[in-house]
Amino acid sequence: MNEVTIDCVVFGYDNGSLKVLLSRENKGVGAKWRLISGIVKDVKNADAATLKLLNEFGNFENVSLKQLTEAAGSNSQTLCYFTIINIEEYRVKFGVVDLYQRWFKATEIPDLIHDHNLILDYSLCQLETCVRESPFSFNLLPRKFTISELMNLYKGILRIETDKESFRRAFLKKKVLVPLKEKKETVSEKEDQLYKFNAAFYEKSGLDHFILDF
């Protein structure tokens, strides 16, 4: 059976900033960075193998993987995935034998090996589509959140500029937020309204109702 190469883009949301986990072999200054990659021998268990690969770099047992492409080569296949995590909730192992790992801002990615820059660019487009067309990103927030926290998440991933009031109106029109009676005290000692995701309404309304146009 042909070997299968796994390339996985690991996005990390970090307090308003979108980052990417890269690794490289410990071969000096000239060594190029790469996506999280590995080789498996059984394509039927590629998803499980990808999770096993990710867990060599941190606690990624419960992440949601999305497959990008499947490209067959003469002697091998390449499967590409992406996932996104909240960096605060996952512990990444730094200093694994013969490897370096580092979070890079998505806007400051170096020249990567092979076609990894292209894979990353395509993954970013797919991530933005998921965020615009589904409640995919709510998993990166606490169960109760403020409009500011939600806005920072969308601004960080979609790289958009918007003011808080316009953003709040856009989301409230979708009816996917439930205002709570609780408030969160901020650093400025003002209290912000807390919300939660209206999963029941979303499931009834269908995917098209969620599409965001900002």
Side-chain angles (χ1 to χ4, degrees):
M1 180 178 293
N2 290 337
E3 291 183 333
V4 178
T5 299
I6 302 292
D7 293 328
C8 188
V9 180
V10 180
F11 292 108
Y13 175 68
D14 186 22
N15 194 28
S17 177
L18 184 65
K19 297 182 178 181
V20 180
L21 182 63
L22 301 178
S23 71
R24 69 177 178 183
E25 295 181 2
N26 186 4
K27 292 184 178 179
V29 178
K32 283 191 173 183
W33 293 92
R34 67 177 70 195
L35 302 174
I36 304 304
S37 303
I39 296 176
V40 297
K41 295 183 178 180
D42 187 359
V43 68
K44 294 181 180 179
N45 296 317
D47 288 4
T50 302
L51 287 175
K52 183 178 180 181
L53 172 67
L54 288 177
N55 275 290
E56 295 178 8
F57 295 85
N59 179 19
F60 294 100
E61 293 179 359
N62 298 317
V63 299
S64 175
L65 292 173
K66 293 189 178 292
Q67 187 173 333
L68 290 171
T69 58
E70 181 174 340
S74 55
N75 298 311
S76 66
Q77 290 180 316
T78 299
L79 296 178
C80 302
Y81 293 85
F82 79 89
T83 188
I84 185 168
I85 64 170
N86 188 320
I87 291 179
E88 290 185 0
E89 296 179 1
Y90 287 83
R91 178 176 58 85
V92 176
K93 298 176 182 175
F94 287 86
V96 177
V97 178
D98 293 329
L99 287 174
Y100 288 129
Q101 297 87 45
R102 177 180 162 189
W103 288 104
F104 284 82
K105 289 185 178 180
T107 55
E108 299 176 359
I109 300 298
D111 184 27
L112 307 178
I113 67 168
H114 308 317
D115 58 350
H116 285 197
N117 285 94
L118 293 175
I119 295 172
L120 174 56
D121 289 344
Y122 183 62
S123 298
L124 185 56
C125 290
Q126 294 301 302
L127 173 63
E128 291 177 353
T129 298
C130 286
V131 169
R132 286 184 181 276
E133 298 183 356
S134 75
F136 180 71
S137 58
F138 280 89
N139 294 328
L140 303 173
L141 293 170
R143 192 176 69 87
K144 301 174 184 179
F145 51 84
T146 66
I147 289 293
S148 294
E149 289 172 330
L150 182 63
M151 182 177 71
N152 288 338
L153 173 66
Y154 274 77
K155 288 173 68 175
I157 296 177
L158 298 178
R159 294 167 291 179
I160 59 173
E161 290 298 329
T162 182
D163 62 272
K164 184 176 179 179
E165 185 56 31
S166 298
F167 184 87
R168 187 184 69 84
R169 286 198 304 267
F171 254 99
L172 291 181
K173 282 197 305 184
K174 298 296 180 182
K175 299 181 181 179
V176 293
L177 299 184
V178 177
L180 304 175
K181 294 181 179 180
E182 305 169 54
K183 292 188 176 182
K184 180 177 181 178
E185 187 172 317
T186 64
V187 176
S188 62
E189 297 185 354
K190 293 182 179 179
E191 292 185 335
D192 274 355
Q193 174 76 55
L194 285 168
Y195 296 82
K196 70 176 182 179
F197 175 58
N198 192 344
F201 178 81
Y202 172 74
E203 290 171 1
K204 289 181 180 179
S205 62
L207 182 63
D208 291 343
H209 190 86
F210 191 84
I211 295 176
L212 299 173
D213 53 7
F214 53 73

